[in-house]
Amino acid sequence: MWQLLWTIGAIASFLQTPQPAAAANVLKHGYFVEMRQMDCVGNPTYLANVSCKILPPRNTTMDGYGEVVQKIPTLFASLRVSLPNPKKVYIQIFAITFDVCKVIREGTRKMLIDFLVRTLSRNSNVVIRCPFPKGKYYSKNISVKDLPPMLTENDFLANFDLFIPKVAVVMNVTLKGRLFDIAKENARKKKYL
C-alpha cells in the first residue's frame, strides 16, 4: 500500500509545477541519496570512453565522463524507478520517456524533467542543445537534491537511458542505492552518540 501512495505522490509532485510552499517544505524535510552500485554503458557508435564512478567516502555524489564521437541529431530519454517489495524483488513504480530536443527547444518542462536537467548540468560542460555536437563532456560531483517531500526512506533501482528512437540506445545508466531522510538520519546519529 505504501508503494502505491509513494507512486501517486511522486508522480503528482513531478507533473506539477513547483510551488513556493513545496520548495520551503523540501528545505525543512530534506533527503539524500547514498549510491551503492552504478553502471554506465555507452554505444561506441556514438560515445567513447564512457565512465561513471561513485565518489567516496559518503557515496552521495558521482562523476561522469564521455566523448560524443559523432553529432547526435535527435535524442530521447527514459527514466524508470523501481522499489523492492517485501521479498526483495524490484517492482517498477515510475517510468517517463521524453523527447530531449523538444524539451530544450520549447523550454517548457515538467518538474521531473527540470530536475534531471539541473542535476546533470551542475558542475558540467555538457552542451544542452540539439543536435548534440561532437566533443568530450563531463559532469562532476553530481548529487541528487530537491526531491519531493513525500518520499520515504527506501532502497531503489533507477535506469536512465538516452536513445535515438528506432535506431539505437546511446547510453544506459543503472544506479542502485538508498534514499535517506536527513531528519531521521540525524536522530539516529544522536541516539548512538
Side-chain angles (χ1 to χ4, degrees), residues 40 47-53 55 62-68 116-128 132-143 171:
C40 297
L47 297 172
N49 305 316
V50 173
S51 71
C52 55
K53 63 181 178 178
L55 302 175
M62 63 182 163
D63 285 351
Y65 303 91
E67 181 179 349
V68 177
L116 288 171
V117 170
R118 276 194 328 267
T119 300
L120 295 175
S121 62
R122 239 180 287 165
N123 302 322
S124 173
N125 73 338
V126 174
V127 175
I128 301 186
F132 291 91
K134 291 170 53 173
K136 295 180 182 181
Y137 299 102
Y138 66 85
S139 285
K140 295 183 178 183
N141 295 316
I142 301 168
S143 61
M171 184 171 148

Side-chain angles (χ1 to χ4, degrees), residues 60-109:
T60 58
T61 59
M62 63 182 163
D63 285 351
Y65 303 91
E67 181 179 349
V68 177
V69 296
Q70 68 171 301
K71 182 171 69 172
I72 301 173
T74 187
L75 197 61
F76 277 63
S78 170
L79 174 67
R80 297 176 313 281
V81 178
S82 301
L83 298 177
N85 66 13
K87 295 180 181 178
K88 303 294 182 194
V89 175
Y90 282 88
I91 307 295
Q92 181 174 300
I93 60 147
F94 181 77
I96 185 171
T97 300
F98 58 95
D99 180 341
V100 176
C101 293
K102 181 178 178 185
V103 168
I104 293 168
R105 192 172 48 249
E106 293 179 359
T108 56
R109 302 177 185 148

Side-chain angles (χ1 to χ4, degrees), residues 144-164:
V144 179
K145 299 179 180 179
D146 305 324
L147 292 170
M150 81 289 296
L151 300 175
T152 61
E153 290 190 331
N154 203 3
D155 290 332
F156 68 88
L157 170 66
N159 292 291
F160 182 70
D161 294 320
L162 293 172
F163 63 96
I164 302 170

Side-chain angles (χ1 to χ4, degrees), residues 24-37:
N25 196 8
V26 170
L27 294 175
K28 289 186 225 171
H29 191 73
Y31 297 89
F32 70 92
V33 171
E34 179 187 76
M35 300 171 220
R36 296 183 176 156
Q37 179 184 350

Side-chain angles (χ1 to χ4, degrees), residues 172-191:
N172 169 267
V173 178
T174 303
L175 176 66
K176 278 188 174 183
R178 181 160 181 86
L179 180 67
F180 287 94
D181 182 325
I182 292 172
K184 288 181 182 178
E185 189 66 13
N186 289 340
R188 282 190 286 266
K189 286 179 185 175
K190 286 179 185 177
K191 181 179 178 180

